[in-house]
């Protein structure tokens, strides 16, 4: 019996909708509840009247084709054609009022919408959506500009409190060239997807300035940053910080000179090879790690120099110190020479060696193996290599460049007899090393 009742109700609803498709008000007896497969009860039409718009309604009544039409979501007062809103009118809805022009039942032309929440929109519509010039206001936020298909699109001015943007928009997002001011910081340049992207200039409230490339809202690529104290960096950025090759300098008015660093940066710190110069003219050439002189480097003062290893900004490791013409060589710890070696044992052959930084690093780390090959006074160095359990000694070899980097087979530099005659090899150093090691692999 219940199934039969549901079928009859469904048939009645379909027939009524066919007879009057503009009316969705269907009465269903309360004693016959809908089954899960039955149609949902359509909303009843409602009638809304607002005395604040009484004069406007009276004016509309004098127009041709004026009608009043109730809908489930409100009441329309105005011109209609073939049962559709068409022409000038006023639509009263719960919490919202729309006044303007319609075409084929959709807002089309100039319209003004006011919400109980305080939001307003006033501008051009096309097929029911903002299209063309329009002004949107919500609380302390506003947008005055172009719209396309209901989105901010084209040139527009946006404000929220003290924040301000004027420029290009694409489908509701800041995209293109514009000017953005936030917390007294001003950015002028390119945007993409609401973020600074491309070339731009940013003036900060504290007086700093950045001019360069942006990526996803942060400096990335080549750029120039100038601090309010006069310091300046020109180089490369990554993810908003200095990263890669660059030049930093700062003028010191008291010393009347520049602090200057030219070299590599990593995560906003000096890291890698670089040159740092003080206003006095002193300078350092070598390796940096996390803003410290670290690794092999050479420091030059007016009357002295140090060539050797550093650790966190201090002379630490094998090095050579020359002061007032007196050269001291040996082991340094925390800027102090703790283990001095005699200069005479190096005099005859030291100038024949030009060690790379990586080679010096290997030399420093092999002190335990170097002890059994310690040079005697008055002897020249020679190169000892080892492959597995075999050792090869390169005798009587004058080496001007050793192309070995991070090679675990390199042990140390050891003495050769001073009286032994030098000879100039027909092959370069790299070829000689390959020849010796090829015999060890056999």
């Amino acid at each position: 019996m219940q199934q039969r009742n549901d079928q009859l109700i469904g048939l009645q609803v379909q027939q009524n909708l066919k007879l009057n498709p503009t009316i969705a008000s269907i009465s269903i007896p309360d004693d016959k509840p809908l089954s899960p497969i039955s149609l949902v009860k359509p909303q009843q039409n409602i009638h809304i009247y607002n005395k604040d718009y009484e004069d406007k309604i009276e004016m509309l009544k004098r127009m041709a084709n004026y009608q009043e039409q109730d809908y489930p979501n409100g009441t329309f007062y105005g011109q209609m054609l073939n049962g559709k809103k068409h022409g000038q009118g006023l639509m009263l809805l719960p919490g919202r009022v729309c006044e303007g022009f319609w075409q084929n039942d959709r807002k089309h032309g100039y319209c003004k919408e006011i919400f109980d929440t305080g939001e307003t929109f006033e501008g051009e519509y096309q097929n029911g959506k903002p299209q063309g010039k329009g002004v949107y206001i919500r609380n302390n936020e506003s947008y005055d500009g172009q719209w396309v298909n209901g989105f901010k699109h084209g040139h527009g001015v946006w404000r929220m409190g003290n924040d301000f943007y004027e420029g290009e928009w694409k489908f509701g997002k800041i995209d293109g060239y514009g000017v953005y001011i936030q917390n007294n910081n001003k950015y002028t340049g390119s945007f993409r997807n609401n973020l600074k992207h491309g070339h731009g200039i940013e003036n900060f409230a504290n007086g700093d300035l950045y001019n360069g490339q942006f990526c996803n809202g942060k400096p990335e690529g080549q750029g120039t940053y100038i601090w309010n104290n006069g310091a300046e960096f020109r180089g490369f950025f990554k993810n908003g910080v200095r990263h890669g090759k660059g030049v930093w300098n700062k003028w010191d008015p008291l010393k009347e000179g520049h602090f200057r660093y030219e070299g590599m940066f990593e995560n906003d710190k000096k890291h890698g090879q670089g040159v740092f110069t003080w206003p006095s003219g002193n300078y350092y050439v070598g390796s940096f790690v996390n803003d410290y002189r670290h690794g092999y480097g050479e420091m030059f003062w007016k009357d002295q120099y140090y060539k050797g290893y550093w650790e966190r900004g201090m002379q630490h490791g094998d090095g050579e110190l020359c002061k007032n013409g007196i050269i001291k060589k040996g082991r340094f710890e925390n800027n102090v020479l703790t283990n001095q070696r005699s200069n005479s044992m190096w005099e005859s052959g030291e100038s024949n060696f030009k060690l790379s930084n990586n080679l010096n690093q290997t030399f420093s780390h092999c002190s335990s193996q170097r002890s059994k090959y310690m040079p005697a006074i008055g002897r020249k160095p020679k190169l000892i290599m080892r492959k597995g359990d075999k050792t090869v000694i390169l005798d009587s070899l004058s080496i001007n460049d050793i192309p070995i980097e991070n090679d675990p087979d390199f042990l140390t530099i050891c003495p050769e007899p001073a009286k032994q005659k030098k000879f100039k090899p027909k092959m370069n150093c790299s070829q000689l090393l390959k020849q010796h090691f090829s015999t060890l692999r056999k």
Side-chain angles (χ1 to χ4, degrees):
M1 184 65 179
Q2 181 64 45
Q3 184 178 3
R4 175 63 177 168
N5 290 337
D6 291 341
Q7 291 175 350
L8 291 174
I9 294 171
L11 180 61
Q12 181 182 1
V13 170
Q14 292 176 8
Q15 291 175 348
N16 288 337
L17 288 176
K18 289 180 179 179
L19 292 174
N20 188 3
T22 60
I23 300 176
S25 177
I26 305 299
S27 177
I28 299 178
D30 293 336
D31 59 344
K32 295 181 180 180
L34 293 175
S35 66
I37 61 172
S38 301
L39 294 175
V40 177
K41 180 180 179 180
Q43 296 181 358
Q44 298 288 339
N45 289 337
I46 61 175
H47 183 81
I48 299 178
Y49 182 81
N50 192 329
K51 289 185 178 181
D52 294 337
Y53 294 92
E54 186 173 1
D55 293 341
K56 183 67 177 178
I57 294 174
E58 291 299 323
M59 186 270 292
L60 291 171
K61 286 182 179 180
R62 293 192 290 269
M63 294 183 176
N65 300 323
Y66 172 83
Q67 294 184 36
E68 294 182 10
Q69 177 67 52
D70 293 336
Y71 295 92
N73 59 342
T75 302
F76 176 77
Y77 301 85
Q79 296 176 303
M80 299 187 71
L81 182 66
N82 298 326
K84 296 181 179 181
K85 299 184 285 289
H86 194 92
Q88 190 172 356
L90 174 69
M91 186 76 184
L92 301 180
L93 304 99
R96 179 160 62 109
V97 176
C98 181
E99 178 184 353
F101 292 84
W102 276 259
Q103 181 175 300
N104 293 325
D105 232 20
R106 294 185 177 183
K107 288 172 283 190
H108 193 92
Y110 172 84
C111 288
K112 182 178 180 179
E113 290 195 70
I114 302 174
F115 298 80
D116 288 349
T117 58
E119 297 177 66
T120 64
F121 177 84
E122 184 174 359
E124 298 294 324
Y125 276 82
Q126 185 172 319
N127 294 323
K129 296 180 180 180
Q131 178 93 11
K133 186 77 165 56
V135 179
Y136 174 76
I137 299 174
R138 181 181 64 180
N139 300 328
N140 65 337
E141 179 184 2
S142 68
Y143 171 80
D144 184 354
Q146 297 294 318
W147 299 74
V148 171
N149 200 30
F151 293 100
K152 306 179 188 76
H153 190 92
H155 185 84
V157 178
W158 172 88
R159 290 181 172 88
M160 177 180 280
N162 294 326
D163 296 350
F164 169 89
Y165 172 77
E166 180 176 3
E168 299 300 315
W169 297 73
K170 287 184 180 179
F171 300 106
K173 295 183 178 181
I174 297 174
D175 201 304
Y177 182 84
V179 178
Y180 179 59
I181 299 175
Q182 182 184 39
N183 299 326
N184 296 321
N185 300 320
K186 180 180 179 181
Y187 171 83
T188 304
S190 296
F191 291 84
R192 189 174 73 179
N193 197 27
N194 281 340
L195 298 173
K196 304 164 195 168
H197 193 92
H199 182 265
I201 300 174
E202 186 157 13
N203 294 274
F204 297 91
N206 65 353
D208 292 359
L209 179 143
Y210 173 77
N211 183 350
Q213 296 295 316
F214 285 81
C215 182
N216 295 326
K218 297 179 180 180
E220 181 149 339
Q222 194 165 2
T224 300
Y225 194 101
I226 301 175
W227 286 264
N228 56 14
N229 61 4
E232 178 182 281
F233 172 80
R234 296 177 182 270
F236 289 86
F237 291 78
K238 184 177 181 181
N239 199 30
V241 298
R242 294 170 292 179
H243 193 96
K245 189 176 181 180
V247 178
W248 172 90
N249 69 80
K250 178 183 177 183
W251 171 259
D252 189 331
L254 297 178
K255 298 181 180 180
E256 296 184 349
H258 283 91
F259 290 95
R260 188 177 190 274
Y261 172 77
E262 180 175 0
M264 301 302 295
F265 286 81
E266 185 174 306
N267 294 325
D268 214 33
K269 294 182 178 181
K270 296 184 288 292
H271 195 97
Q273 294 298 308
V275 179
F276 193 98
T277 306
W278 283 261
S280 61
N282 301 335
Y283 66 95
Y284 169 85
V285 182
S287 177
F288 290 82
V289 174
N290 291 329
D291 265 346
Y292 289 101
R293 290 169 288 181
H294 193 98
Y296 182 82
E298 300 177 358
M299 180 74 196
F300 296 87
W301 295 266
K302 289 183 178 180
D303 57 350
Q304 63 182 19
Y305 68 80
Y306 170 80
K307 298 180 181 180
Y309 284 89
W310 301 72
E311 186 174 302
R312 292 183 62 81
M314 304 185 76
Q315 299 159 10
H316 197 94
D318 290 339
E320 170 186 316
L321 178 65
C322 177
K323 186 174 183 181
N324 297 325
I326 301 175
I327 299 177
K328 296 181 180 180
K329 300 177 182 180
R331 181 78 177 177
F332 288 77
E333 292 184 7
N334 298 328
N335 288 341
V336 177
L337 180 59
T338 59
N339 185 11
Q340 184 175 354
R341 303 191 188 99
S342 173
N343 291 335
S344 60
M345 68 182 181
W346 299 92
E347 289 174 356
S348 58
E350 183 187 67
S351 61
N352 292 330
F353 289 83
K354 181 182 177 183
L355 301 180
S356 67
N357 292 338
N358 288 330
L359 188 56
N360 274 296
Q361 188 70 37
T362 308
F363 181 84
S364 173
H365 292 166
C366 297
S367 58
S368 61
Q369 296 172 335
R370 174 162 48 97
S371 60
K372 56 184 178 181
Y373 300 110
M374 283 300 293
I377 296 176
R379 297 197 174 194
K380 297 181 180 180
K382 63 183 177 181
L383 189 64
I384 293 183
M385 313 291 292
R386 187 171 67 183
K387 193 78 170 180
D389 58 350
K390 298 182 180 181
T391 301
V392 61
I393 301 176
L394 305 182
D395 294 319
S396 306
L397 183 61
S398 295
I399 303 174
N400 294 318
D401 185 23
I402 302 178
I404 304 174
E405 297 183 359
N406 300 323
D407 193 330
D409 296 316
F410 175 72
L411 296 182
T412 186
I413 296 174
C414 296
E416 86 177 314
K419 294 182 180 180
Q420 190 167 358
K421 185 178 180 180
K422 298 180 182 178
F423 73 96
K424 185 175 181 180
K426 296 182 180 179
M427 294 182 289
N428 60 35
C429 183
S430 178
Q431 293 171 331
L432 283 171
L433 294 178
K434 288 181 180 179
Q435 177 178 338
H436 283 279
F437 278 123
S438 63
T439 59
L440 291 178
R441 296 191 183 97
K442 296 179 181 179

